[in-house]
């Protein structure tokens, strides 16, 4: 049994009456990559801020590396690294100067700081650009620089808030590689948040789906998908009594009407689909479209929250931040 | 300590790597001095009919010097401290909005360092302006008091330092928890004019109505001006100077301690 390196119990943060994080309980084992998956405004950043001692919980408690985040913030800070959602590196300073600033914030001896800064800059492949001003960096380079800053104190736990927000597909994949290699090389525990399903699916050992401040589901990506209990058939058809007909077909578990579509959950999509099609046609229903989806996290998400992760909502302030991030990410 | 210095260095770099900002820092006090100092030539009011001897007597009695420009120019030092430090709070709001503050808060650097680095930065920047004002004031014909010694200028810097610490702490406190500019901006606006006019920057407090005199007599700007003038244009009175310095020192200490205390408590929301 590996050690539980992050433990949150009924962790809650209320902002002027808004329950941003609502009695969240979970734990992360040493060496795991654990992901918080949820849309904008779900409470991911707020959770990270509490775990990293930036925000004080309204109630509940949390421990990181065995230290209480409220009572022993100093110790927590020494054992963690944080890569915030925003690009926080100073535009006017060079990459190297930025990493050195972080080294100083952790109080590393000057020589040790220099050594680590150079090591980390080459780890994230920024060595050739270390003396260029951050202003000239691309989005992917900025992310990698943030990563280097977050690693300067050789943390046991690394917190990554939306590590690939706004990045293109290739850059995203390369950041994932970096994250995986961190775990392999240093056995580091990684807590990340994301609203990209692929990211959670590909990168995380375990996921908690968070929505409106609450954890609605937790498990490994494959557990979550299995929990849906089968494949999803989506039909668009014209005719009467479609729902009743569908329900009568063998292998159909759940039928739901959503928009103009019927979403039918079945145990084995490939065999049930033809059967379903025949039954409907026999009863005079015209099937205009039929699609079979193997479960993905999006289905899990839809199932648990009733919304697709693709539609995003955001508060004005977050909107501004997000735009700042995106503008820089794309520069 | 290391974190504190690193944070201060970051601020300073932003300043001196920006030539325009630097230029403005230099130009601003020069504009004030020439405009305010030379435009309001109160001495000239006594021109013509009043005999020169009498005019000088009157000036000396109310302003402590015969030359209004010298009175005004020395008052500019406190004013420039006020105007450079009043924006200190905004840089912490900016850091918060950009997420930099959160990153710093998640490191072991002490909360005190975070505010003290901003205070020190504002103070250094302000002291630089004070040097320019002094230089310009002498160039434009500041009349020093009898017994003036160039080393007294160091005293002026110390006085300016104390006032800057006071004001930057004060304005930083107002913005500790803000995520928006509006409220702190309004508060700064509300405070600046009274701070400036309820003091002896432009006019000696002795000639003010009683209630205003009371306000001016607790205003650190008045003490700063008096101390600066003691060091430059008045005949130095050690007793008065000591009183000024003690008041300013205690004020700076109290208010900066308060801001550190509040930062420890409230920087994390
Ligand atoms: N400092 C704050 N003050 C008030 N409300 C906040 C603050 N920070 C976040 N919120 C609100 O809390 C909710 C969760 O925000 P956040 O944790 O940033 O979500 P996520 O990171 O999942 O997008 C949002 O509704 C957001 O508007
Ligand atoms: Mg977020």
């Amino acid at each position: 049994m590996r050690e539980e390196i992050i433990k949150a119990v009924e962790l809650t943060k209320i902002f002027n009456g808004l329950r941003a994080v609502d009695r969240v309980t979970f734990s992360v084992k040493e060496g795991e990559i654990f992901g918080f998956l949820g849309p904008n405004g779900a409470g991911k950043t707020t959770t990270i801020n509490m775990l990293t001692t930036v925000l004080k919980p309204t109630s509940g408690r949390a421990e990181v590396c065995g230290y209480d985040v409220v009572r022993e913030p100093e110790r927590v800070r020494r054992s963690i690294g944080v890569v915030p959602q925003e690009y926080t590196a100073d535009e006017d300073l060079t990459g190297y100067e930025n990493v050195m600033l972080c080294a100083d914030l952790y109080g590393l001896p000057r020589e040790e700081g220099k050594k680590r800064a150079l090591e980390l800059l080459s780890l994230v492949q920024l060595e050739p650009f270390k003396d260029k001003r951050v202003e000239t960096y691309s989005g992917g380079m900025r992310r990698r620089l943030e990563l280097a800053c977050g690693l300067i104190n050789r943390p046991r736990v690394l917190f990554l808030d939306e590590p690939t927000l706004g990045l293109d597909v290739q850059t995203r994949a390369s950041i994932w590689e970096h994250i995986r290699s961190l775990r392999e090389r240093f056995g580091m525990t990684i807590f990340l948040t994301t609203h990209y399903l692929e990211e959670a699916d590909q990168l995380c050992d375990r996921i908690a789906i968070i929505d409106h401040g609450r954890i609605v589901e937790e498990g490994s990506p494959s557990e979550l998908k299995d929990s849906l209990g089968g494949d999803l058939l989506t039909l668009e058809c014209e005719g009467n009594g479609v729902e009743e007909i569908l329900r009568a077909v063998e292998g159909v578990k759940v039928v739901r009407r959503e928009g103009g579509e019927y979403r039918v959950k079945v145990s084995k999509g490939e065999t049930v689909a033809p059967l379903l099609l025949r039954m409907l046609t026999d009863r005079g229903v015209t099937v205009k479209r039929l699609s079979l989806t193997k479960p993905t996290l999006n289905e899990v998400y839809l199932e648990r929250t009733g919304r697709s992760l693709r539609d995003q909502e955001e508060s004005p302030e977050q909107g501004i931040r997000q735009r700042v991030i995106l503008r820089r990410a794309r520069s | 300590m290391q974190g504190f210095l690193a944070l201060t260095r970051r601020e300073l770099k932003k300043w001196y790597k920006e030539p325009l900002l630097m230029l403005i820092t230099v130009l601003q006090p020069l504009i004030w001095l020439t405009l305010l100092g030379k435009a309001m030539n109160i001495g000239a009011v006594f021109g013509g009919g009043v005999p020169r001897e009498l005019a000088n007597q009157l000036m000396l009695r109310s302003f402590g010097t015969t030359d209004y420009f010298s009175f005004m120019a020395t008052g500019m030092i406190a004013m420039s401290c006020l105007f450079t430090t009043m924006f200190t709070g905004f840089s912490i709001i900016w850091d918060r909005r950009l997420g930099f503050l959160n990153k710093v808060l998640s490191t072991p650097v002490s909360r005190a360092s975070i505010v003290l680095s901003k205070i020190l930065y504002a103070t250094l920047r302000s002291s630089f302006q004070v040097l320019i004002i002094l230089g310009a004031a002498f160039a434009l014909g500041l009349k020093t008091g009898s017994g003036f010694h160039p080393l007294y200028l160091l005293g002026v810097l110390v006085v300016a330092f104390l006032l800057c610490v006071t004001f930057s702490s004060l304005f930083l406190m107002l913005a500790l928890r803000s995520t928006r500019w509006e409220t702190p901006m309004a508060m700064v606006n509300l405070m600046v004019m009274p701070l400036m006019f309820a003091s002896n920057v432009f006019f000696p407090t002795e000639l003010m109505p009683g209630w205003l005199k009371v306000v001016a007599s607790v205003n650190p700007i008045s003490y700063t001006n008096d101390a600066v003038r003691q060091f430059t244009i008045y005949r130095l009175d050690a007793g008065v100077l000591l009183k000024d310095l003690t008041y300013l020192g205690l004020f700076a200490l109290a208010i900066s301690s308060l801001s550190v205390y509040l930062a420890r408590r409230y920087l994390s929301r």
Side-chain angles (χ1 to χ4, degrees):
Chain A
M1 192 70 188
R2 281 178 300 172
E3 192 193 341
E4 285 184 346
I5 200 160
I6 305 178
K7 204 159 75 185
V9 182
E10 300 267 300
L11 200 58
T12 302
K13 181 73 191 184
I14 303 176
F15 290 117
N16 322 313
L18 171 81
R19 288 180 170 269
V21 174
D22 192 4
R23 282 164 290 152
V24 158
T25 301
F26 66 92
S27 61
V28 179
K29 295 205 175 63
E30 180 140 35
E32 249 185 337
I33 300 184
F34 184 89
F36 250 32
L37 174 68
N40 271 338
K44 304 182 296 295
T45 301
T46 307
T47 308
I48 283 213
N49 284 345
M50 288 190 284
L51 295 175
T52 56
T53 76
V54 170
L55 274 179
K56 290 175 197 132
T58 309
S59 64
R61 59 187 186 83
E63 275 175 21
V64 176
C65 298
Y67 305 120
D68 189 284
V69 295
V70 177
R71 283 190 315 247
E72 302 162 289
E74 197 72 22
R75 286 164 184 268
V76 172
R77 289 173 196 141
R78 292 203 174 279
S79 33
I80 61 170
V82 184
V83 178
Q85 171 178 320
E86 298 88 358
Y87 293 110
T88 57
D90 211 300
E91 303 258 308
D92 304 323
L93 307 185
T94 66
Y96 175 73
E97 286 173 327
N98 268 293
V99 182
M100 281 310 287
L101 173 63
C102 293
D104 286 336
L105 292 178
Y106 283 97
L108 295 181
R110 213 67 203 157
E111 282 312 306
E112 179 67 16
K114 277 183 196 163
K115 201 179 109 228
R116 287 195 200 176
L118 292 175
E119 255 171 41
L120 288 170
L121 282 166
S122 74
L123 178 77
V124 297
Q125 292 156 11
L126 283 177
E127 173 90 85
F129 312 99
K130 69 181 168 56
D131 294 322
K132 293 231 160 39
R133 278 155 63 116
V134 173
E135 216 173 32
T136 63
Y137 282 23
S138 70
M141 288 162 75
R142 282 164 199 253
R143 257 315 155 208
R144 271 146 44 205
L145 180 64
E146 299 285 341
L147 208 52
C149 285
L151 293 168
I152 194 79
N153 61 327
R154 307 218 166 120
R156 282 176 71 196
V157 185
L158 183 64
F159 289 89
L160 302 168
D161 198 358
E162 312 245 10
T164 63
L165 182 64
L167 300 179
D168 61 60
V169 182
Q170 283 100 355
T171 317
R172 189 175 294 168
S174 95
I175 298 278
W176 291 349
E177 262 328 298
H178 280 297
I179 296 174
R180 285 197 197 97
S181 78
L182 286 178
R183 198 250 307 263
E184 268 150 40
R185 290 177 59 158
F186 307 111
M188 201 176 280
T189 308
I190 292 164
F191 180 102
L192 64 86
T193 75
T194 182
H195 66 257
Y196 296 123
L197 294 154
E198 302 85 335
E199 188 158 285
D201 202 354
Q202 302 242 333
L203 203 53
C204 299
D205 303 318
R206 266 184 332 119
I207 300 170
I209 295 179
I210 178 165
D211 189 34
H212 294 307
R214 313 202 59 165
I215 292 183
V216 290
E217 187 72 70
E218 198 195 313
S220 71
S222 53
E223 275 169 13
L224 292 187
K225 288 182 236 170
D226 290 346
S227 77
L228 279 184
D231 305 345
L232 183 74
L233 289 172
T234 312
L235 294 121
E236 208 179 303
C237 31
E238 253 163 31
N240 298 320
V242 178
E243 281 199 48
E244 288 68 46
I245 302 169
L246 291 174
R247 277 189 226 285
V249 178
E250 206 187 319
V252 170
K253 291 177 170 171
V254 185
V255 180
R256 257 207 326 216
R257 203 178 164 155
E258 234 163 64
E261 296 176 338
Y262 295 93
R263 300 171 74 88
V264 186
K265 206 180 286 170
V266 299
S267 50
K268 269 186 113 29
E270 294 86 345
T271 51
V272 178
L275 206 64
L276 227 157
L277 207 56
R278 205 174 62 231
M279 298 287 272
L280 286 169
T281 331
D282 284 356
R283 307 277 178 98
V285 176
T286 326
V287 178
K288 293 191 344 210
R289 205 169 57 81
L290 168 74
S291 65
L292 166 65
T293 329
K294 290 282 175 189
T296 68
L297 280 179
N298 196 38
E299 268 71 44
V300 179
Y301 189 81
L302 199 63
E303 177 79 17
R304 295 294 180 260
T305 67
R307 282 179 295 126
S308 169
L309 240 189
R310 319 262 175 206
D311 330 319
Q312 304 279 320
E313 34 176 338
E314 54 184 45
S315 71
E317 188 191 322
Q318 264 187 326
I320 292 170
R321 277 197 182 186
Q322 217 84 34
R323 274 192 293 279
V324 172
I325 298 165
L326 291 181
R327 189 165 50 72
R328 294 202 191 153
R330 284 168 190 158
S331 69
Chain B
M1 197 59 192
Q2 190 182 351
F4 166 64
L5 292 178
L7 287 171
T8 313
R9 215 161 34 232
R10 163 177 178 263
E11 305 267 356
L12 281 172
K13 269 185 191 158
K14 286 171 115 32
W15 177 46
Y16 66 70
K17 279 192 177 179
E18 187 63 69
L20 188 63
L21 195 59
M22 198 71 190
L23 185 71
I24 292 173
T25 321
V26 175
L27 277 182
Q28 200 178 37
L30 294 183
I31 293 174
W32 285 345
L33 266 190
T34 41
L35 265 186
L36 289 172
K38 290 293 182 191
M40 291 203 266
N41 189 358
I42 293 199
V45 173
F46 304 115
V50 188
R52 181 146 199 91
E53 221 15 59
L54 183 62
N56 279 350
Q57 279 291 315
L58 284 172
M59 283 298 288
L60 199 59
R61 234 189 40 217
S62 28
F63 294 100
T65 169
T66 54
D67 179 36
Y68 185 71
F69 170 74
S70 299
F71 184 81
M72 194 44 219
T74 44
M76 280 302 118
I77 287 174
M79 213 176 101
S80 114
C81 292
L82 176 62
F83 277 78
T84 36
T85 52
M86 67 191 240
F87 297 112
T88 322
F90 297 101
S91 90
I92 214 160
I93 299 178
W94 195 227
D95 282 352
R96 196 185 275 289
R97 289 200 83 131
L98 288 182
F100 180 78
L101 184 66
N102 277 359
K103 181 163 90 173
V104 176
L105 285 173
S106 75
T107 70
V109 75
S110 83
R111 316 292 99 163
S113 296
I114 300 173
V115 288
L116 289 177
S117 69
K118 296 217 180 276
I119 293 172
L120 180 62
Y121 163 64
T123 302
L124 288 176
R125 209 175 126 169
S126 204
S127 306
F128 176 77
Q129 272 201 342
V130 167
L131 284 179
I132 291 174
I133 293 182
L134 281 176
F138 276 101
L140 291 170
L142 185 85
K143 287 198 177 62
T144 51
S146 56
F148 171 79
H149 188 281
L151 274 181
Y152 288 178
L153 293 182
L154 288 179
V156 174
L157 280 180
V158 170
V159 172
F161 174 86
L162 292 177
L163 187 70
C164 289
V165 169
T166 304
F167 281 145
S168 45
S169 310
L170 177 72
F171 291 122
L172 203 57
M173 266 184 320
L174 296 180
L176 270 187
R177 278 171 81 82
S178 303
T179 50
R180 312 159 52 89
W181 322 104
E182 288 81 352
T183 318
M185 181 71 101
M187 282 200 269
V188 168
N189 271 334
L190 187 71
M191 292 166 70
V192 165
M193 284 293 157
L195 273 173
M196 205 162 72
F197 285 102
S199 80
N200 52 2
V201 174
F202 302 102
F203 215 67
T205 50
E206 289 77 30
L207 304 177
M208 291 177 179
W211 60 272
L212 199 54
K213 217 184 277 184
V214 173
V215 180
S217 72
V218 290
N219 188 345
I221 289 189
S222 302
Y223 291 83
T224 308
N225 286 333
D226 189 65
V228 168
R229 286 169 186 154
Q230 293 284 345
F231 275 127
T232 51
I233 60 174
Y234 295 167
R235 175 193 287 281
L236 196 144
D237 177 336
V240 177
L241 187 61
L242 194 66
K243 201 184 93 198
D244 290 341
L245 287 174
T246 314
Y247 185 85
L248 286 171
L250 288 178
F251 213 94
L253 187 68
I255 208 152
S256 56
S257 311
L258 183 63
S259 82
V260 166
Y261 168 77
L262 291 177
R264 286 227 174 91
R265 255 195 101 131
Y266 295 116
L267 212 47
S268 314
R269 290 160 66 89

